[in-house]
Amino acid sequence: MDYFKTRRTIRRYSDRPLSDELIADMLDKAIHAPTCGSMQLYSVVVTRSDEGKSALAPAHFNQPCLTGAQAVLTFCADFNRFTRWCEQRGADPGFDNVQSFISAALDATILAQQFVTIAEMNGLGTCYLGTTSWNAPMIIDALSLPELVVPVITVTVGYPAESPEVQPRLPVSAFIHTEKYNPNSSERIDSMYGEFENLPANRAYVTENKKDSLAHVFTDVRYPREANEHFSHIFTEMLRKAGFLAEKA
Amino acid sequence: MDYFKTRRTIRRYSDRPLSDELIADMLDKAIHAPTCGSMQLYSVVVTRSDEGKSALAPAHFNQPCLTGAQAVLTFCADFNRFTRWCEQRGADPGFDNVQSFISAALDATILAQQFVTIAEMNGLGTCYLGTTSWNAPMIIDALSLPELVVPVITVTVGYPAESPEVQPRLPVSAFIHTEKYNPNSSERIDSMYGEFENLPANRAYVTENKKDSLAHVFTDVRYPREANEHFSHIFTEMLRKAGFLAEKA
């Protein structure tokens, strides 16, 4: 069980080849993860070619872990396949709505995490690209995703060429609540975040960015309000175009 | 690695006790799962009391796996704690939008799946309750969740009192796409779903429900359009009330 406490994200990969068969075999294991109502509301687009990676790179702000990966897996919420099946059998599918998108997005994320665990237990390194939901329209174009298919999370994978430290986490008491939510009082906030703020790497971010606190690094540099709101508008319009916000008058 | 291909959902649990310490220990391992920008945008409310389970039961349509579980874990997208921390440091957090909700929902789902894997590898049985996103407002009330905290997925857990078969899945070729999305042609649909439709359990559902096909069972009985749209409206209003759809003019 040691794996779970020592795992870490790997962003640099070696030249050691990763076969299509191993990727398919790991996905074949991962699909036994739980799925909403046995519907398997996901698809995975596997990008291995240099052209394919180049087409995806701008959507992920040209992060080097993408172009350097042996494979890039885009996990998509997919109600297209299920809807086509229902139509083909003469049934009336009604999955062009937010709730159906949420079900499919959870399915895709559960599958992605199961794949990550299996890959890492096989000695591979992985990195999630959260930029997937920010630039979903660019990814939809690059991968020719049809309606009711939305990219949710991307995983880069390859054999590790680095061995970073295990990343620190907040104490488990910060996020476990017993029976009811325990409000985040000022005292609890200070006690939860104190150690995190004092990590040498985090102190360095504050100095480098000339900010008052680590929190300012997050709000002013990494995830500023304007960017979050900009990508929220893009996301909502993408959902509408993908057919998940169909309004029935 | 056999675990991954043989895992299955467990809905009936024995009386064998599950300690608070083991739950906390498993969550302490699970938090090493990947998380968006090291922000850990989740909370877990652990319900163990009979009163607590009774309060949650209606939101989950009184599914017996909830009341019979040793513990019920509600995994929440949580931007409250992070926002409070930013405010307390004098920073200006801007996480009251859809994109931030999606980031937190993915974080909570990844944590939930990591917990499920760890629990099952410890010999426990688990069941996801997808009803969480349908009746989120009832769960918010029952667990006293503050703003910017939204329940995403629920896991019931306990030692197994049943040993069901491994659930069938579509062939891996149904959802792997190479470089570009491979459209779902009629031929592909028939070939993907043929085996699934012919499973004895699925044929029985069609007969019992007096439907024309298995697809009709999904569209008319399990996930009808009216229900999906009804719960979509509830979900959107819940997101607004939770503060994730704040419009800045």
Side-chain angles (χ1 to χ4, degrees), chain B residues 49-219:
Chain B
S49 72
D50 288 341
E51 309 80 63
K53 290 183 209 166
S54 299
L56 286 172
H60 299 293
F61 304 125
N62 300 301
Q63 292 178 73
C65 64
L66 186 143
T67 36
Q70 288 289 328
V72 179
L73 277 66
T74 306
F75 288 81
C76 303
D78 185 341
F79 245 120
N80 181 292
R81 182 181 60 236
F82 200 82
T83 294
R84 289 291 98 82
W85 172 59
C86 292
E87 288 170 347
Q88 201 159 313
R89 297 293 179 262
D92 173 33
F95 305 114
D96 48 2
N97 43 63
V98 168
Q99 193 65 249
S100 300
F101 166 70
I102 293 291
S103 298
L106 297 192
D107 253 24
T109 307
I110 288 168
L111 181 72
Q113 180 53 25
Q114 194 79 330
F115 175 82
V116 161
T117 298
I118 292 168
E120 291 182 346
M121 283 186 161
N122 267 293
L124 288 152
T126 71
C127 181
Y128 273 117
L129 302 182
T131 34
T132 310
S133 64
W134 296 7
N135 288 312
M138 296 167 71
I139 298 169
I140 288 173
D141 283 349
L143 304 179
S144 304
L145 304 182
E147 60 173 352
L148 299 180
V149 182
V150 167
V152 169
I153 193 82
T154 302
V155 176
T156 60
V157 60
Y159 288 95
E162 62 176 359
S163 186
E165 298 286 311
V166 174
Q167 284 296 300
R169 294 288 190 250
L170 295 187
V172 77
S173 58
F175 65 89
I176 294 190
H177 303 258
T178 305
E179 302 288 332
K180 302 260 184 188
Y181 194 94
N182 186 8
N184 297 304
S185 66
S186 333
E187 295 73 24
R188 286 192 70 225
I189 290 287
D190 281 339
S191 127
M192 290 182 232
Y193 283 94
E195 199 177 327
F196 186 66
E197 289 170 312
N198 274 316
L199 293 169
N202 284 340
R203 292 166 68 107
Y205 290 131
V206 178
T207 314
E208 282 162 23
N209 288 288
K210 302 191 171 60
K211 292 293 170 189
D212 289 342
S213 77
L214 183 63
H216 289 80
V217 176
F218 279 97
T219 59

Side-chain angles (χ1 to χ4, degrees), chain A residues 78-146:
Chain A
D78 185 340
F79 244 120
N80 181 292
R81 182 181 60 236
F82 200 81
T83 294
R84 289 291 98 81
W85 172 58
C86 291
E87 288 170 346
Q88 201 158 314
R89 297 294 179 262
D92 174 34
F95 305 115
D96 49 2
N97 44 64
V98 168
Q99 193 65 247
S100 300
F101 166 70
I102 293 290
S103 298
L106 297 192
D107 253 24
T109 307
I110 288 168
L111 180 72
Q113 180 53 26
Q114 194 79 330
F115 175 83
V116 161
T117 298
I118 292 168
E120 291 183 345
M121 284 185 161
N122 267 294
L124 288 152
T126 71
C127 181
Y128 273 117
L129 302 182
T131 34
T132 310
S133 64
W134 295 7
N135 288 312
M138 295 167 72
I139 298 170
I140 288 173
D141 283 348
L143 304 179
S144 304
L145 304 181

Side-chain angles (χ1 to χ4, degrees), chain B residues 231-242:
Chain B
F231 289 113
S232 290
H233 286 297
I234 290 179
F235 186 83
T236 305
E237 282 316 299
M238 178 280 300
L239 270 193
R240 191 180 315 281
K241 208 173 157 195

Side-chain angles (χ1 to χ4, degrees), chain A residues 172-184 188 192, chain B residues 27 42-47 72 74 76 78 81 143 145-146 149:
Chain A
V172 76
S173 59
F175 65 88
I176 293 189
H177 303 257
T178 305
E179 302 289 331
K180 302 260 184 188
Y181 194 93
N182 186 7
N184 297 305
R188 287 192 71 225
M192 289 182 231
Chain B
L27 284 170
Y42 45 64
S43 276
V44 185
V45 185
V46 182
T47 303
V72 179
T74 306
C76 303
D78 185 341
R81 182 181 60 236
L143 304 179
L145 304 182
V149 182

